[in-house]
Amino acid sequence: MFRLPHGSLIKIVIVLLFVNILLLVKVYPPYKSVTNGSSRHPTNTDGEKTKATVPLNCPYHSDVGPQMTMSTTNLEHFISESNKTKLTFANIDISYGRWDNQHKYKIKDFAVVGEQYTESSKISLICLATQSSVERLYSLPQVAANWIGPMSVALFSAGNEEYIVLKYFVTYMRLCFPNVKANATFHILFPQEYESLPGHLTEPLNIQKKFNCRNPEKTLKFLLKLRTAKTLEWRKRNVYPQNHMRNLARKGCQSKYVFLTDIDIIPSVNSVVQLNNFFKTVDCEKNCAYVIPTFEIDVRASFPQSKESLLALTKKGLARPFHEKVFIYNQYATNFSKWLTLKGNETSVSISHIVTNFEFLYEPFYIALDTVPIHDERFTGYGFTRNSQVYEMYVAGYKFYVLSPVFTCHWGLQRKQARPAWREQQNNANRKKFDSFKSEIFARYKNDPHIKVK
Ligand SMILES: *[C@@H]1O[C@H](CO)[C@@H](O)[C@H](O)[C@H]1NC(C)=O
Ligand SMILES: *[C@@H]1O[C@H](CO)[C@@H](O)[C@H](O)[C@H]1NC(C)=O
Ligand SMILES: *[C@@H]1O[C@H](CO)[C@@H](O)[C@H](O)[C@H]1NC(C)=O
Ligand SMILES: *[C@@H]1O[C@H](CO)[C@@H](O)[C@H](O)[C@H]1NC(C)=O
């Protein structure tokens, strides 16, 4: 047998190691802005299946909360204190609720109300409406770090196990993040068969030292382990009712304007103050929607603190228009190149331009009066949920104005990957429904805009 002398084997190993390190450096170039990290954000948005390029153990953005670890005693104390003041889930009787129009879901409006929500909704002209399944809720602290104003949050609870996870996690967020406690109001939506779903978790949980305010994602991950396979199976078999959730969040807003987002869409810093100044002066309310451009950000970058730093990130290839690579119709009509010509040194929010090339499947995040068409609840799961609503706005004659320098970000550069079969099925089911939806809205508004349907 061929034998290497001992010395050359070591040399080969050293050379291989060196090559390996070189390759690693190539894959993850050390950007300066990388260090203070960001959170891992899987997608929760509509459109095509995507996967963020996320390195493992990506730390949570360090700005979101005070450095503290909560002990079980603290949490129990908090829950019992909240019990007295009717602040947490503890006082919610989930044996009854408001039905949705199809009698498929029960709804608890205003399950937990932010301590300053009423007051805040009077101060702020704009309320952020957002929705989440239990897995994605860890994004809320970061949303709340940047959106210092009223937030109406719709939560989906598939059974009692998820309800308990939500209960603990919402309590955790309220304890760790002052703006969640003050300004976030939660609504819960349950499936009709809730009672028959698994879930007899014994409380209190053994949660000693598991609650870390620095890391909402890790905290949530721990709690999610409490769900049994039965709950996960149910979730797999049943669609997530995206449009029910959006309507629920929207209708819980008390302010004049609603900014509907998905939970993983992070508004730019200080946008509430800037947007309030802008909305004090707008003259078009009815049939006008104000688009806030959305970018996807490399997880190694830090959150851009201004449009100027966002521009710097785009130049380095660390940021780009949301879904540009995986589903370009999603935001294309926003016309980012036009938006990017305003350099971002503007001192106040203004209209950058109007959307002139509306196209089918366009689904911007926008601010508008909540008299915009509802999100049609026949669409459930993936595909045609948000963009069908925007399409109806277009048929109804809405104009879309793009605002600057405010923006929103989604963590993770998206790349195309094969869609799982269930997702394709949901999309196809909704595509079929879309045909009748389209005929209905053409008839309702007596308008066929003759847009090419893809
Ligand atoms: C909160 O209140 C409910 C109902 O009043 C009670 O059953 C529960 O034990 C209380 N929880 C705590 C932690 O005090
Ligand atoms: C809640 O929102 C209002 C603005 O509507 C803001 O003035 C207040 O500081 C926020 N509360 C917290 C604790 O951030
Ligand atoms: C974007 O704006 C540029 C410059 O005004 C224009 O030429 C282009 O057609 C626009 N593109 C879209 C998709 O609206
Ligand atoms: C922003 O920058 C542009 C070009 O650098 C300049 O012409 C413009 O006056 C600046 N605007 C403000 C508000 O500073």
Side-chain angles (χ1 to χ4, degrees), residues 332-338 353-359:
Y332 190 65
T334 294
N335 202 343
F336 290 94
S337 45
K338 206 159 182 182
H353 58 279
I354 184 167
V355 169
T356 47
N357 295 306
F358 185 95
E359 61 182 342

Side-chain angles (χ1 to χ4, degrees), residues 163-409:
Y163 181 72
I164 288 168
V165 175
L166 285 173
K167 174 172 159 174
Y168 276 91
F169 195 67
V170 168
T171 305
Y172 154 83
M173 287 193 294
R174 287 167 59 88
L175 192 52
C176 291
F177 309 103
N179 191 34
V180 173
K181 187 171 180 189
N183 279 310
T185 284
F186 297 91
H187 322 280
I188 312 168
L189 186 133
F190 304 96
Q192 173 257 324
E193 62 268 50
Y194 183 83
E195 304 276 354
S196 60
L197 291 175
H200 297 285
L201 284 183
T202 42
E203 295 178 76
L205 308 157
N206 178 19
I207 47 183
Q208 189 94 37
K209 298 218 168 91
K210 292 293 186 185
F211 290 83
N212 180 351
C213 287
R214 289 292 300 277
N215 200 331
E217 191 177 358
K218 208 169 138 199
T219 303
L220 181 59
K221 243 183 209 150
F222 164 75
L223 287 170
L224 286 171
K225 284 193 203 123
L226 300 167
R227 291 183 304 179
T228 58
K230 269 200 166 150
T231 293
L232 296 175
E233 273 160 30
W234 188 91
R235 284 287 304 275
K236 243 188 220 159
R237 281 195 317 271
N238 292 276
V239 293
Y240 178 73
Q242 301 205 14
N243 279 359
H244 287 78
M245 300 295 287
R246 294 194 172 107
N247 290 329
L248 180 56
R250 282 174 54 178
K251 297 305 167 195
C253 275
Q254 309 292 301
S255 307
K256 182 170 179 183
Y257 296 94
V258 169
F259 180 19
L260 178 77
T261 63
D262 288 336
I263 195 75
D264 48 9
I265 299 298
I266 322 285
S268 53
V269 294
N270 203 24
S271 44
V272 177
V273 172
Q274 293 177 326
L275 287 167
N276 268 290
N277 288 335
F278 172 78
F279 277 96
K280 273 180 208 152
T281 66
V282 297
D283 19 88
C284 179
E285 292 182 341
K286 206 169 164 280
N287 288 356
C288 285
Y290 297 88
V291 172
I292 315 289
T294 305
F295 287 76
E296 53 189 50
I297 309 286
D298 194 303
V299 288
R300 295 164 297 166
S302 41
F303 193 93
Q305 298 297 306
S306 64
K307 181 173 171 182
E308 281 166 311
S309 31
L310 174 66
L311 287 176
L313 287 183
T314 58
K315 286 199 183 111
K316 282 190 207 155
L318 290 171
R320 64 188 180 212
F322 188 42
H323 277 51
E324 186 184 62
K325 290 282 189 285
V326 294
F327 191 56
I328 190 152
Y329 315 115
N330 183 288
Q331 309 280 317
Y332 190 65
T334 294
N335 202 343
F336 290 94
S337 45
K338 206 159 182 182
W339 189 78
L340 292 171
T341 56
L342 285 177
K343 291 303 169 215
N345 59 354
E346 307 112 285
T347 47
S348 56
V349 170
S350 63
I351 294 169
S352 159
H353 58 279
I354 184 167
V355 169
T356 47
N357 295 306
F358 185 95
E359 61 182 342
F360 185 58
L361 299 179
Y362 180 43
E363 49 178 12
F365 295 103
Y366 62 83
I367 298 174
L369 294 182
D370 203 40
T371 49
V372 296
I374 59 142
H375 284 74
D376 195 303
E377 293 177 359
R378 284 173 295 181
F379 299 109
T380 51
Y382 282 96
F384 300 91
T385 56
R386 214 150 51 73
N387 52 41
S388 59
Q389 191 272 346
V390 173
Y391 186 70
E392 179 169 349
M393 286 171 76
Y394 183 70
V395 173
Y398 275 83
K399 299 266 179 293
F400 294 88
Y401 296 93
V402 183
L403 298 186
S404 179
V406 281
F407 58 89
T408 58
C409 289

Side-chain angles (χ1 to χ4, degrees), residues 116 119-121 123-124 144 147-150 178-180 182-183 272 276:
Q116 297 169 9
E119 204 44 46
S120 189
S121 302
I123 301 169
S124 177
W147 186 267
I148 313 295
N179 191 34
V180 173
N183 279 310
V272 177
N276 268 290

Side-chain angles (χ1 to χ4, degrees), residues 76 79-80 83 90-91:
E76 288 306 312
I79 291 178
S80 80
N83 236 3
N91 301 77

